[in-house]
Amino acid sequence: AQSVTQLDSQVPVFEEAPVELRCNYSSSVSVYLFWYVQYPNQGLQLLLKYLSGSTLVKGINGFEAEFNKSQTSFHLRKPSVHISDTAEYFCAVRLPSGGSYIPTFGRGTSLIVHP
Amino acid sequence: NAGVMQNPRHLVRRRGQEARLRCSPMKGHSHVYWYRQLPEEGLKFMVYLQKENIIDESGMPKERFSAEFPKEGPSILRIQQVVRGDSAAYFCASSPRISGTYNEQFFGPGTRLTVL
C-alpha cells in the first residue's frame, strides 16, 4: 500500500517570498503523484500532476513540483507567493493501474501568506 | 459545463437523525467517489460507485453508512443515526469512464455536516 507524508502542517510566509511545501511518499511500485489546493469552504482543485516523463512538473498559478524517485519526494514550489495563495495544499499518490484508481491523500499543509 | 454539484452545502442534524448528502457528477461522468475530511486531516476515501454499482466500499464504516448512484439522479450518501463523530466535510468527486489510463477526479464543494 502507498502512503503520503506532508511534514509541515503549517507554513507561514510573507508575500512575494518563495515557498516549498514538502511531500514524501512510500510505495513499493511506481505511482502517480498529485498536488491539490483547497481554498476555504471549497472543494479540491488539481494544481499539477506527475504521471511520467520529465521530473519537473509545472502547474497552474505559477506552482511547480519536482519528482525525486531516489528520495521518494514530490515537493511543491513557487518562487513568489501572493496573498491569494493562502489555502490548504494536499499531496496525493495513486497507483497507475489496477484497483479502483483511488488516491491516497496526505494530511495537508496550510499555507499562510502574510502581507 | 457545470462542475460537480453537492447539496446541501451545510447540514445540521441532531444525534440519532439521518443525514442525506447528494452529489451530481459532471456531465458525461459515470464514476463517483465519496471522501470524508475530518478537521485538520486529509481526505479519506469512503466509496467508489458507478451507475447502479458499488465498485469499492473499502473506506465505508460498516454500520450506519450507505451509498448509492442510481441510473437516474444524483449519488446519495446516507448516514443513519448520526453521532457527533460524523461531523465532517464530505466531498464528492467524479471522473469519466475509466479507460486504463489517467482519469482526473473533479471535486465538488463539499457538504459540511454538523451533528449537535
Side-chain angles (χ1 to χ4, degrees):
Chain A
Q2 59 273 18
S3 65
V4 179
T5 302
Q6 291 182 247
L7 294 168
D8 306 302
S9 59
Q10 258 191 21
V11 174
V13 64
F14 287 106
E15 194 174 17
E16 297 184 7
V19 70
E20 177 180 86
L21 306 183
R22 296 180 292 170
C23 173
N24 288 88
Y25 69 93
S26 173
S27 177
S28 59
V29 298
S30 297
V31 293
Y32 289 165
L33 294 154
F34 309 85
W35 274 100
Y36 288 85
V37 59
Q38 183 183 29
Y39 298 105
N41 297 316
Q42 294 187 27
L44 273 66
Q45 180 183 358
L46 183 66
L47 269 180
L48 49 78
K49 60 183 181 287
Y50 171 79
L51 307 182
S52 64
S54 173
T55 57
L56 183 62
V57 180
K58 294 189 183 296
I60 61 172
N61 301 341
F63 284 93
E64 63 181 32
E66 185 158 16
F67 168 57
N68 188 318
K69 187 174 182 179
S70 62
Q71 297 186 5
T72 59
S73 67
F74 191 54
H75 300 331
L76 181 70
R77 302 186 183 99
K78 187 170 182 177
S80 176
V81 294
H82 302 288
I83 295 287
S84 59
D85 292 323
T86 295
E88 195 80 14
Y89 291 80
F90 293 96
C91 182
V93 301
R94 204 203 80 185
L95 293 175
S97 63
S100 303
Y101 304 91
I102 307 300
T104 299
F105 289 87
R107 298 186 65 163
T109 297
S110 179
L111 176 63
I112 304 169
V113 181
H114 298 286
Chain B
N1 187 8
V4 178
M5 300 178 69
Q6 290 186 250
N7 66 80
R9 294 292 307 275
H10 300 274
L11 182 61
V12 179
R13 286 287 178 264
R14 297 190 180 279
R15 282 179 295 171
Q17 292 183 320
E18 179 179 283
R20 285 195 179 199
L21 289 64
R22 287 177 289 277
C23 169
S24 296
M26 288 181 69
K27 187 177 181 180
H29 286 191
S30 56
H31 298 252
V32 165
Y33 310 79
W34 284 95
Y35 296 85
R36 177 165 60 178
Q37 183 180 34
L38 294 169
E40 299 184 4
E41 292 191 20
L43 273 69
K44 302 295 184 185
F45 166 73
M46 299 182 75
V47 62
Y48 161 41
L49 310 103
Q50 295 178 24
K51 288 281 187 180
E52 301 183 282
N53 280 306
I54 296 176
I55 306 302
D56 183 344
E57 56 181 349
S58 58
M60 284 279 270
K62 300 300 181 190
E63 298 178 347
R64 303 188 297 109
F65 285 73
S66 63
E68 62 177 9
F69 188 17
K71 187 176 181 181
E72 301 291 337
S75 175
I76 306 288
L77 178 67
R78 183 182 293 110
I79 310 172
Q80 297 178 304
Q81 300 177 328
V82 296
V83 301
R84 286 197 175 138
D86 297 333
S87 295
Y90 292 82
F91 290 94
C92 167
S94 72
S95 69
R97 179 172 171 272
I98 298 291
S99 62
T101 58
Y102 171 71
N103 280 288
E104 181 179 343
Q105 292 185 15
F106 295 82
F107 284 81
T111 293
R112 279 152 184 83
L113 173 64
T114 301
V115 180
L116 302 178

